[in-house]
Each structure stands twice: as structure tokens, then as C-alpha cells.
């Protein structure tokens, strides 16, 4: 990549899911970091996208409206990003996600009930009221456990209480992996498989890609904060092998992931602006066929 090429960050979160910044603050931070493009990809919500779009226009930066969908592939949880979602499709996204959110709420309540039986009392209503649209996931619960002194850190909360292995948490049934890719294509957005090497081996990833592509998968994240340089190289080669576009991002969450810095991850991340341009062009092609 040429030194003069602008950078982008196509995977970031705000307090509409489990980040700590507002959409306006996120965009302002992207401008301060001299990024050429920023994507908002909150987990399972479009709640911050209107404010994000307004902020991108205000600060004069390319902004891509997105959602990071939680999906299931057998027993594996995959995250699929839908990028370049048009405003007139937000209601459809909310309806699609709503089926999962009902199950997520039931899972949250069961988790807190299990914790309370062992003396770890958390006010769910207070948690819900603390978020802009009432969406709660385990990161919110972990943050509250740290505040209440039940855990030393978010990672400690997940390790001792909130992982499936800890025995308190049972995950909700998520929307299907292929079902979600299909849906993203139907609404004219670009589908991106987020950080797949965190979920499966290289051989498993190579084996599932043909089916994912048949359902319309457009891209995979090849540049990701927690990937080693060798994993980034492998992912780029895999994208070329399967004629997929590349994406990437810091997975920025603000103070909830203090070592994930916007635009640079842990300091060595660089997502070329050309990734953004190629994905945007793909979205234009998809929309032209609708």
C-alpha cells in the first residue's frame, strides 16, 4: 500500500451497542485520526445510524452505515457485517433482528437469575435504562459487574461468569448464518464475514466459503486488530483465491476495549481506503440489480 493512500476503519461500535462513544463522537474521532472513511457497525441495531450519517456529513468524511449481525452456523457463532444499508431499509433490518432480540432478552434474564442465585445481584431494568435503545448484551453486564465489584475487569467477568463454560450463560438461538447473508443481499447491502479466524480454523473457513458465496457473501475481514500479520496475509490470499473483496477494522469499542484504537487497532493495523471504495462500488452494483 502506498504511504500516501488514505486509511479507513470499517468495523467500529458506539454506545448504541457495546461501545462507549456516541455516533457523533466516533465520527469526530475518525476525522481526528485522519481516516478517509469510517463505518458504524453496532451489534444487532440500526439505532445509531441516523446520527452517524448526520455526523459524517457534518465533519466531511465518508461514512458507511452498517450492522454487525450475530448468526449461528451449527454450534458456531459467526458475525456478519451488513454495510451500506440505506435509510429506507432500517425498518426491515430492525424487524429481522427483532426475532433474535426477543430471544436475547430471555437469555439475559436467565443469565442474571443464575448469577443472583449465587449472590451476584444486577438490576436489569437499570441496565436497560442506561442504553439509548434498551439493547443489552454480555459486555454491558460485564461492565456492570466490574462497577459492582464482582469482577476485576471485563475479561475477568467473561472468564469467571459470562462465558458458556462458566455455567451461567446459555446463548440465545441466533438467526442463521446463510439466512443473514441472504437478507443482507435482499436489502441491497454488502455482506462481510467478520474476523472468521477467531471462530474457526483455516481449513474450516476454506470449506464453508463456497456455500457462503453461493448465498451472496461479498467480502471477508482480512485486516483485523487481533489478527497476527501472518493471519492477515493468509486472509488476503484467501480472499483473492475465492474472488472476495477485502474489509477490515479495529473493532473499536471506546473504553470497553481500551487497547483497540480507532484506525490502528493495537498500533499496527492499516485498512486501505481502497477497501472502502471497492465495497462501496459493490453496494452500487447490488442496488442496481434490485
Amino acid at each position: 500500500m502506498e504511504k500516501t493512500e488514505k486509511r479507513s476503519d470499517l468495523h467500529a461500535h458506539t454506545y448504541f451497542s457495546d461501545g462507549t462513544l456516541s455516533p457523533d463522537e466516533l465520527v469526530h474521532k475518525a476525522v481526528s485520526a485522519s481516516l478517509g472513511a469510517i463505518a458504524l457497525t453496532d451489534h444487532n441495531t440500526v439505532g445509531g445510524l441516523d446520527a452517524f450519517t448526520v455526523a459524517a456529513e457534518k465533519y466531511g468524511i465518508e461514512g458507511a452505515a452498517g450492522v454487525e449481525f450475530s448468526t449461528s452456523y451449527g454450534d458456531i457463532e459467526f458475525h456478519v457485517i451488513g454495510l451500506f444499508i440505506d435509510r429506507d431499509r432500517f425498518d426491515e433490518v430492525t424487524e429481522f433482528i427483532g426475532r433474535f432480540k426477543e430471544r436475547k432478552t430471555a437469555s439475559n434474564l436467565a443469565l442474571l437469575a443464575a448469577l443472583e442465585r449465587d449472590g451476584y445481584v444486577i438490576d436489569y431494568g437499570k441496565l436497560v435504562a442506561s442504553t439509548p435503545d434498551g439493547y443489552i448484551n454480555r459486555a454491558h453486564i460485564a461492565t456492570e459487574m466490574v462497577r459492582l465489584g464482582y469482577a476485576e475487569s471485563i475479561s475477568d467477568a467473561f472468564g469467571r461468569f459470562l462465558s458458556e463454560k462458566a455455567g451461567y450463560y446459555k446463548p440465545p438461538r441466533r438467526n442463521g448464518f446463510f439466512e443473514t447473508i441472504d437478507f443482507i443481499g435482499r436489502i441491497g447491502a454488502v455482506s462481510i464475514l467478520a474476523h472468521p479466524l477467531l471462530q474457526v480454523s483455516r481449513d474450516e473457513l476454506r470449506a464453508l466459503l463456497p456455500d457462503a458465496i453461493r448465498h451472496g457473501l461479498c467480502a471477508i475481514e482480512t485486516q483485523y486488530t487481533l489478527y497476527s500479520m501472518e493471519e492477515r496475509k493468509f486472509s488476503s490470499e484467501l480472499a483473492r483465491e475465492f474472488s472476495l473483496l477485502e474489509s477490515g477494522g479495529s473493532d473499536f469499542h471506546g473504553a470497553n476495549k481500551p487497547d483497540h484504537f480507532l484506525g490502528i487497532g493495537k498500533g499496527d493495523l492499516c485498512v486501505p481506503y481502497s477497501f472502502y471504495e471497492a465495497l462501496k462500488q459493490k453496494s452500487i452494483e447490488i442496488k442496481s440489480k434490485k
Side-chain angles (χ1 to χ4, degrees):
M1 187 183 86
E2 304 228 354
K3 291 183 179 180
T4 56
E5 184 177 356
K6 291 184 290 186
R7 294 175 295 122
S8 60
D9 194 329
L10 305 179
H11 188 160
H13 300 273
T14 69
Y15 59 37
F16 277 87
S17 62
D18 52 354
T20 57
L21 299 188
S22 70
D24 188 278
E25 290 168 331
L26 174 70
V27 175
H28 184 266
K29 193 172 187 69
V31 172
S32 298
S34 300
L35 296 180
I38 178 70
L40 174 55
T41 57
D42 274 326
H43 296 281
N44 303 302
T45 181
V46 298
L49 292 181
D50 280 331
F52 169 77
T53 301
V54 169
E57 292 176 355
K58 178 173 73 173
Y59 292 115
I61 186 173
E62 292 290 321
V67 170
E68 185 174 6
F69 295 85
S70 299
T71 79
S72 287
Y73 178 78
D75 295 330
I76 302 167
E77 178 181 1
F78 277 122
H79 288 186
V80 181
I81 291 173
L83 210 59
F84 300 102
I85 300 173
D86 290 338
R87 177 66 186 80
D88 62 3
R89 297 289 196 165
F90 287 1
D91 287 347
E92 291 175 69
V93 175
T94 298
E95 181 180 357
F96 180 78
I97 292 171
R99 307 169 209 164
F100 165 71
K101 280 193 171 182
E102 290 175 2
R103 300 190 291 269
K104 180 65 175 175
T105 297
S107 173
N108 287 338
L109 292 172
L111 168 61
L112 295 193
L115 288 169
E116 186 169 349
R117 286 194 289 270
D118 283 352
Y120 305 105
V121 180
I122 298 171
D123 187 334
Y124 189 67
K126 183 178 178 181
L127 274 183
V128 170
S130 72
T131 64
D133 62 356
Y135 178 72
I136 297 296
N137 63 20
R138 282 180 293 164
H140 296 100
I141 295 171
T143 300
E144 184 67 0
M145 294 190 82
V146 173
R147 189 188 73 80
L148 292 170
Y150 297 150
E152 294 181 359
S153 65
I154 289 175
S155 61
D156 177 47
F158 270 90
R160 292 197 293 130
F161 303 105
L162 303 181
S163 70
E164 290 186 60
K165 293 179 180 179
Y168 294 102
Y169 172 69
K170 293 183 179 179
R173 182 171 58 84
R174 305 175 185 92
N175 291 333
F177 175 56
F178 296 134
E179 172 193 15
T180 302
I181 294 172
D182 287 335
F183 171 75
I184 291 169
R186 284 200 308 273
I187 63 170
V190 172
S191 55
I192 303 164
L193 181 54
H195 47 65
L197 292 180
L198 299 188
Q199 280 74 45
V200 293
S201 70
R202 298 179 185 193
D203 288 342
E204 290 169 325
L205 176 58
R206 177 175 273 109
L208 73 85
L209 281 179
D211 283 339
I213 291 167
R214 278 192 287 273
H215 282 269
L217 183 69
C218 302
I220 58 172
E221 280 189 340
T222 63
Q223 308 303 307
Y224 180 70
T225 295
L226 297 180
Y227 278 5
S228 67
M229 294 303 295
E230 202 279 329
E231 286 172 322
R232 294 171 191 175
K233 180 175 182 290
F234 168 80
S235 298
S236 291
E237 292 172 349
L238 194 67
R240 287 192 290 273
E241 177 184 340
F242 284 92
S243 299
L244 289 165
L245 297 175
E246 296 185 62
S247 187
S250 62
D251 202 3
F252 176 78
H253 283 68
N256 284 341
K257 288 187 178 181
D259 58 344
H260 288 213
F261 296 98
L262 193 67
I264 59 172
K266 290 180 179 288
D268 62 349
L269 183 72
C270 187
V271 181
Y273 184 74
S274 57
F275 283 14
Y276 168 81
E277 291 180 308
L279 291 165
K280 184 176 182 180
Q281 180 58 40
K282 182 66 174 179
S283 77
I284 293 170
E285 294 172 6
I286 293 172
K287 289 174 174 60
S288 70
K289 297 175 183 178
K290 298 300 172 183

